[in-house]
Amino acid sequence: NAGVTQTPKFQVLKTGQSMTLQCAQDMNHEYMSWYRQDPGMGLRLIHYSVGAGITDQGEVPNGYNVSRSTTEDFPLRLLSAAPSQTSVYFCASSGLLAELPYEQYFGPGTRLTVT
Amino acid sequence: DQQVKQNSPSLSVQEGRISILNCDYTNSMFDYFLWYKKYPAEGPTFLISISSIKDKNEDGRFTVFLNKSAKHLSLHIVPSQPGDSAVYFCAASEVSGNTPLVFGKGTRLSVIA
């Protein structure tokens, strides 16, 4: 059981480039989400999905796209990278939010630098 | 508007003493609360949770207290150990509304040997 995996671990992009951060989970979780962590800002939700084919915006969705074609995968796309997107990105998954006890499992993170 | 607030960015405690991390929330619809622990270069890991129908939940050295009327929760670690040094995030959710977790900004705990 690998849990939540994220690739790559590190990435450097130039302004304007696009890329996809990969996230996969093998726990058959319905709920998946993307967060970014910036110094002094905590974890801010970018996008989330409550199941295959269903996505919704979080607190800071601008500049990012997501899709959920399978239960296992939830990639995050940066359309045109900007220096403000320099951050550490975490993917998380869990059972449905309404089912307690509830616990979100996080991946190890992707550290992205945009120059 | 920050719905979950951790007003202390950092906390330093002697090994063996009690660590108390605080969290306040503004949304009265929140009914489930969690604490996560994060080491550098790793993802956050779940520590302990509490439902709004309880006022206390204990797991080993970790206890979470919930005061609904004050919209306040706290995490107590007794006794504190150097391995507890990490960033602790408080999170809240409106489970009945199936809404995502909202996280606080975190408190960095340093346990000094």
Side-chain angles (χ1 to χ4, degrees):
Chain A
N1 218 356
V4 180
T5 57
Q6 291 183 238
T7 55
K9 280 190 168 7
F10 301 96
Q11 183 70 49
V12 179
L13 289 179
K14 291 190 184 329
T15 297
Q17 286 184 317
S18 62
M19 80 158 293
T20 300
L21 307 186
Q22 301 291 345
C23 173
Q25 52 90 10
D26 61 359
M27 297 174 281
N28 202 31
H29 283 161
E30 292 291 330
Y31 180 80
M32 295 186 75
S33 54
W34 277 101
Y35 294 87
R36 58 178 288 175
Q37 186 193 10
D38 302 293
M41 298 298 290
L43 292 161
R44 292 185 292 170
L45 183 66
I46 305 171
H47 285 285
Y48 65 99
S49 166
V50 298
I54 306 168
T55 63
D56 208 344
Q57 295 182 351
E59 182 187 353
V60 288
N62 292 341
Y64 307 95
N65 269 0
V66 290
S67 59
R68 184 96 180 269
S69 55
T70 67
T71 299
E72 295 77 22
D73 300 296
F74 191 42
L76 178 73
R77 294 183 191 84
L78 280 70
L79 308 171
S80 176
S84 61
Q85 293 179 304
T86 293
S87 187
V88 182
Y89 291 85
F90 291 102
C91 178
S93 76
S94 72
L96 287 175
L97 295 170
E99 294 174 358
L100 296 179
Y102 169 80
E103 175 187 341
Q104 242 182 146
Y105 296 84
F106 282 81
T110 295
R111 184 174 293 275
L112 175 69
T113 302
V114 183
T115 60
Chain B
D1 179 32
Q2 218 183 324
Q3 296 187 74
V4 178
K5 300 178 188 179
Q6 293 177 257
N7 291 321
S8 298
S10 62
L11 175 68
S12 220
V13 172
Q14 289 283 137
E15 181 180 5
R17 305 293 289 266
I18 184 171
S19 295
I20 300 176
L21 293 90
N22 293 305
C23 178
D24 297 294
Y25 62 96
T26 58
N27 187 344
S28 57
M29 299 300 289
F30 286 148
D31 51 13
Y32 194 64
F33 305 88
L34 307 90
W35 285 93
Y36 281 82
K37 176 177 176 179
K38 185 183 179 306
Y39 292 119
E42 294 183 11
T45 54
F46 170 76
L47 195 54
I48 193 169
S49 63
I50 188 166
S51 166
S52 59
I53 62 172
K54 294 187 173 183
D55 54 18
K56 177 182 172 181
N57 189 26
E58 218 169 330
D59 184 2
R61 296 186 297 113
F62 302 92
T63 303
V64 56
F65 295 92
L66 175 62
N67 182 333
K68 281 175 55 182
S69 60
K71 294 194 182 70
H72 176 82
L73 61 154
S74 60
L75 174 68
H76 293 210
I77 306 173
V78 185
S80 301
Q81 299 173 352
D84 296 330
S85 297
V87 177
Y88 289 79
F89 290 101
C90 172
S93 173
E94 184 189 338
V95 172
S96 53
N98 207 23
T99 59
L101 289 182
V102 179
F103 283 84
K105 293 186 177 182
T107 296
R108 182 178 302 278
L109 173 66
S110 299
V111 180
I112 305 158

